[in-house]
Amino acid sequence: MSKRPDLPRGGEQEPDRDDFGRRLDELLASGGPAIVYQPVVLIGTDRIIGVEALSRFPAGMNPGQWFDFAASVGRGAELETIAARNALAPLDDARRREIGWEVISVNVSPSTLSDPAFTQTLAPHLGRHVVLELTDRSGRADYPTLRARLDRARELGVRIAVNSVECDPVSQLDYLIRLDPDLIKLDPEFTRLLLRSEDRRELARRTLLSCQQHGAFVIAVGVEQPEDLDALTSLGVEAAQGYLFSKPRPLDELVAAR
């Protein structure tokens, strides 16, 4: 499953719990994190089929640290819920159809899926256009629990994405297929390894074909070079996301740049 998109950077100091609690209260009182969107492009076309929503926070800690600290003080679901609301609220059906996006992906941890406040807050914004992209920085979600949470989430009418983070293209295949995701996102490290390793290409091709035969739509994340896109096309990957197409941008700026 996916890691948060930003890792700790040098020079960023972790606050103590009291300081972080104060900063989190201030952030939520002001409306929560700002949101930027990164396009997902259908390979072989210039068509943006959807976006992934990413949170941005005040200076001092990166997004991964904010979510980690919120979880450590028992407020992870609260922060994730507000971030998801901020991502989905500006994109009601009329606005989304005007833009032409089919899916809006938001990140959520397995534990948040079963939080009642998450469902209540997002209920007005949910539908088949919403993709819940699972993040699990702890790595502690066991399969039966996770599958049960996914089944409940699907009852809300959303689609589910999971992220292949292992460098071995086979090691997670059975696990991913058993989760029965609607989308599989290839982690940037996974993607780079496949593109740089000739002896793994055929193995990767078979792995991706198996995922697709089970109904999963495959998206490569972190695509930066045109030659990488060519290689992904030859592997049968269906869509891509990365700086080759666009950096994450505020909604109005991204729409204006189409």
Side-chain angles (χ1 to χ4, degrees):
M1 281 161 289
S2 172
K3 295 174 287 186
R4 291 289 178 191
D6 297 272
L7 299 176
R9 298 187 294 269
E12 293 178 338
Q13 296 183 347
E14 297 181 351
D16 61 38
R17 287 180 174 242
D18 290 341
D19 180 58
F20 177 75
R22 175 186 58 77
R23 292 172 66 179
L24 181 58
D25 286 339
E26 292 175 351
L27 175 71
L28 296 182
S30 68
I35 303 297
V36 291
Y37 302 84
Q38 188 170 39
V40 175
V41 175
L42 190 66
I43 289 180
T45 76
D46 294 324
R47 186 162 70 92
I48 297 175
I49 58 173
V51 289
E52 179 182 354
L54 301 167
S55 296
R56 293 295 179 258
F57 294 87
M61 293 195 307
N62 67 46
Q65 289 177 303
W66 275 91
F67 286 107
D68 280 347
F69 267 93
S72 74
V73 298
R75 300 180 66 182
E78 180 183 6
L79 180 56
E80 288 186 356
T81 297
I82 297 305
R85 180 206 64 189
N86 288 356
L88 296 173
L91 289 163
D92 60 22
D93 279 347
R95 177 69 164 145
R96 181 176 54 82
R97 288 171 180 166
E98 174 191 349
I99 299 171
W101 294 339
E102 297 173 19
V103 295
I104 314 297
S105 174
V106 296
N107 292 280
V108 58
S109 63
S111 58
T112 297
L113 285 175
S114 57
D115 187 277
F118 178 80
T119 303
Q120 293 168 6
T121 301
L122 296 187
H125 310 293
L126 296 180
R128 284 290 291 172
H129 65 286
V130 175
V131 174
L132 300 183
E133 185 171 333
L134 296 187
T135 64
D136 185 17
R137 291 169 67 87
S138 72
R140 290 192 294 267
D142 62 278
Y143 168 75
T145 300
L146 180 55
R147 183 57 196 257
R149 286 170 173 165
L150 293 182
D151 289 343
R152 286 196 294 272
R154 286 192 174 95
E155 293 174 0
L156 303 174
V158 301
R159 285 181 272 190
I160 300 295
V162 296
N163 196 304
S164 181
V165 298
E166 299 291 339
C167 290
D168 183 344
V170 172
S171 63
Q172 280 196 322
L173 179 58
D174 180 63
Y175 175 74
L176 292 174
I177 288 174
R178 287 197 301 157
L179 290 179
D180 193 27
D182 300 287
L183 301 92
I184 292 177
K185 301 190 78 172
L186 303 183
D187 180 87
E189 286 193 20
F190 182 103
T191 300
R192 281 193 290 270
L193 181 66
L194 297 182
L195 297 179
R196 304 294 183 264
S197 178
E198 291 290 343
D199 62 348
R200 301 172 80 96
R201 293 280 183 93
E202 185 56 33
L203 183 59
R205 196 188 315 276
R206 293 197 303 268
T207 300
L208 294 171
L209 179 60
S210 183
C211 292
Q212 291 162 343
Q213 287 174 338
H214 283 80
F217 187 82
V218 179
I219 301 170
V221 179
V223 180
E224 297 182 351
Q225 303 298 328
E227 56 267 29
D228 293 343
L229 187 62
D230 293 339
L232 289 166
T233 302
S234 71
L235 285 171
V237 176
E238 294 156 298
Q241 173 183 341
Y243 274 52
L244 178 63
F245 309 104
S246 174
K247 67 179 182 180
R249 297 180 177 184
L251 179 61
D252 290 344
E253 183 180 323
L254 182 60
V255 172
R258 289 186 304 162

